[in-house]
Amino acid sequence: LAKTTQPISMDSYEGQEVNITCSHNNIATNDYITWYQQFPSQGPRFIIQGYKTKVTNEVASLFIPADRKSSTLSLPRVSLSDTAVYYCLVGDTEGGKLIFGQGTELSVKP
Amino acid sequence: GAVVSQHPSRVICKSGTSVKIECRSLDFQATTMFWYRQFPKQSLMLMATSNEGSKATYEQGVEKDKFLINHASLTLSTLTVTSAHPEDSSFYICSAWPTQGAGEKLFFGSGTQLSVL
């Protein structure tokens, strides 16, 4: 299973764009990249998933370079409620298990 | 989106008792479910993979006799912490892969905070 590396923590201010980069050097051909958000004492919540290039939904964008060895989660105009831990996971989508890395603790300040 | 219901959300028990945690997929079938545990300020650690109709697969270091997993139907998996001790106090989270449909996403329950006195 591909291992992921993310910054342990990041600070931002309300209204700013936040970019969190994840490294996954040994990603396999069949692996997708998925990002989750977790608030204290809650289960992780799906944010976005992609395979290559760029994916955008109503809450975030995911940028994946051609070599797929890294990915960047972009949160536009963050608010205080975006303060959470963000996890980057890499794995196949055929019911395979996903291993969580350390995650990035994002703190948004007023 | 798909919903995974996990109960109870919080349980306090005495040392030596057993605790059962239920994980249900409310609007989809899940052949495979996963159980994680999470200690404060740490990431989720995978404990076991639960497959409907077969024995669970445990990760290295997880005692299968301590953490009993039953996946008797396509919508329900249970985790029983047997003879719980204070060191078993943790946040337990289940997740499920939809058998059909949105198979690209893993859906998580809201977690169970177990406190063993």
Side-chain angles (χ1 to χ4, degrees), chain B residues 33-84:
Chain B
M33 292 185 177
F34 302 94
W35 288 94
Y36 296 82
R37 66 188 298 182
Q38 185 176 33
F39 294 106
K41 294 294 185 180
Q42 294 187 22
S43 182
L44 285 76
M45 183 188 77
L46 180 65
M47 299 176 66
T49 302
S50 171
N51 296 300
E52 187 268 336
S54 63
K55 292 183 178 180
T57 303
Y58 291 83
E59 295 299 305
Q60 189 174 7
V62 178
E63 300 177 58
K64 62 180 181 180
D65 295 330
K66 174 83 172 167
F67 299 99
L68 301 180
I69 293 173
N70 184 281
H71 194 155
S73 77
L74 288 173
T75 59
L76 174 65
S77 176
T78 61
L79 169 68
T80 301
V81 183
T82 61
S83 186

Side-chain angles (χ1 to χ4, degrees), chain A residues 57-69:
Chain A
N57 62 21
E58 62 275 10
V59 297
S61 293
L62 179 59
F63 299 91
I64 305 170
D67 64 7
R68 302 198 330 120
K69 293 184 182 297

